[in-house]
Amino acid sequence: MQLPDMNLLPALDALLREGSVTGAATRMNISPSAMSRTLGRLRRVLDDPLLVPAGRGLALTPRALQLQPSVEAALAGALAALRPAQPVDIAAVRRRFTLRSDDGLAVVLGPALTERVTREAPGIQLRWLPEGDEDPADLRDRVDLDIGHLPDLPQDVRGRELARHRFAAVCRRDAPGADEPLTPAAFAAIPHITASRRGRFHSVVDDRLAALGLTRRVLATVPTHITACFFALRGDVLALVPAAVAARAAEELPLAVREIPLELPAVTTGMAWHVRLDTDPAHRWLRAAVARITSGPAEQDAPQGDTP
């Protein structure tokens, strides 16, 4: 499609407003001769003289008068489109954002985020999707904010680290020795419940125990951290979950949180979004809210990934 020279639009607006070549030249800060040449080009493009002699001055043709409101509106729209984004009143925003994370992070982060939305941005809705077979391409159309483990991201996806977290074990509050520190041997002797979306039984925990000449029994592996916590409510078992999930679950369920007596690597949680949303004011508010919550003392161990 061949587009007209858009540089003619401001000149046309000036000519229609001033009704004079000299006046339009002054408005555009160019010479009268340059404006006269521009008027000639506009006449050829529009196939209309636009300005015609009327006594000692010039008058607008009917076509010029017809064009005047649409030219003003088009120029105003073009200038607005090129103007830097203005600060957004987040309380007036009406948007729906789709987030994706594992269930543990949704439990830890979700309530605090919904409270913040209710308080500061009541027009925003949050759609929370579960983790699955993640594809960074989802951020191009289906997911607005991905929270969890960040793999290598494509060039059109932005990422930010949120927190590093550790794992803990939970057991029912009245289990034998629930209030006593665990030794590696005692830890290995109690059956474990682990969480893995891929159903894995072996992890770095087994490697650390093997280095001490110990082995453990993984009684069951389940798909989510919250499921693992509920398994721990029955029987003498340890459910291995992110420390933040363990603390949150112990607030609501009769569970005790126990430290894992092994040196385990920390895991990083981050968030990712498509570059198209990088400067979007409402999305920037959402990212800032997530970052503030995950850096707070209650959520500093924001969870993600498989359980050890």
Side-chain angles (χ1 to χ4, degrees):
M1 179 175 62
Q2 185 174 1
L3 295 175
D5 184 357
M6 300 305 292
N7 290 321
L8 294 175
L9 187 62
L12 177 58
D13 179 68
L15 286 164
L16 297 180
R17 287 177 183 272
E18 297 294 333
S20 158
V21 172
T22 302
T26 301
R27 175 182 283 267
M28 293 288 294
N29 197 28
I30 60 176
S31 67
S33 58
M35 180 56 73
S36 181
R37 290 193 296 271
T38 300
L39 175 58
R41 293 180 61 195
L42 284 166
R43 286 169 169 168
R44 290 191 294 273
V45 170
L46 297 173
D47 193 23
D48 188 272
L50 298 176
L51 291 171
V52 294
R56 294 189 176 185
L58 297 173
L60 298 177
T61 66
R63 170 69 168 149
L65 291 170
Q66 181 186 31
L67 285 172
Q68 196 165 22
S70 59
V71 169
E72 290 179 6
L75 184 60
L79 292 174
L82 296 174
R83 191 175 296 123
Q86 300 301 306
V88 66
D89 178 8
I90 196 64
V93 170
R94 299 293 181 267
R95 291 277 290 276
R96 178 177 295 163
F97 288 114
T98 298
L99 301 87
R100 180 170 60 191
S101 73
D102 72 9
D103 71 318
L105 184 52
V107 166
V108 172
L109 171 62
L113 185 57
T114 53
E115 286 178 5
R116 196 175 197 99
V117 166
T118 301
R119 185 173 64 251
E120 299 180 17
I124 285 180
Q125 292 179 302
L126 303 177
R127 176 193 287 121
W128 219 289
L129 299 181
E131 283 189 327
D133 295 325
E134 281 74 35
D135 184 346
D138 292 339
L139 291 166
R140 295 174 184 141
D141 52 15
R142 196 169 74 91
V143 175
D144 296 307
L145 194 63
D146 213 347
I147 309 172
H149 175 63
L150 298 185
D152 292 334
L153 300 174
Q155 289 186 344
D156 61 338
V157 173
R158 299 284 186 264
R160 173 181 173 180
E161 181 177 318
L162 292 172
R164 291 180 175 269
H165 68 267
R166 56 189 175 80
F167 281 84
V170 295
C171 66
R172 57 186 177 88
R173 199 170 290 163
D174 59 351
D179 57 349
E180 298 175 3
L182 285 167
T183 64
F187 172 75
I190 303 173
H192 290 182
I193 308 295
T194 65
S196 172
R197 286 180 294 143
R198 298 171 180 83
R200 294 172 177 166
F201 282 85
H202 187 93
S203 77
V204 66
V205 169
D206 300 279
D207 298 333
R208 296 291 190 270
L209 289 173
L212 299 173
L214 300 169
T215 59
R216 65 170 177 166
R217 181 191 177 200
V218 177
L219 180 61
T221 180
V222 296
T224 70
H225 297 123
I226 300 304
T227 303
C229 289
F230 274 89
F231 270 53
L233 292 172
R234 303 288 293 269
D236 296 332
V237 298
L238 294 175
L240 277 56
V241 297
V245 176
R248 186 74 181 90
E251 291 176 0
E252 306 295 335
L253 301 171
L255 293 171
V257 180
R258 309 183 74 176
E259 295 291 326
I260 297 175
L262 300 172
E263 289 291 332
L264 299 176
V267 184
T268 299
T269 294
M271 59 180 171
W273 63 94
H274 192 262
V275 65
R276 65 186 170 82
L277 295 169
D278 205 30
T279 59
D280 178 79
H283 197 273
R284 293 180 70 174
W285 176 88
L286 177 66
R287 299 196 308 263
V290 170
R292 283 194 294 268
I293 292 169
T294 54
S295 64
E299 286 85 18
Q300 63 186 355
D301 292 319
Q304 57 80 34
D306 289 354
T307 299

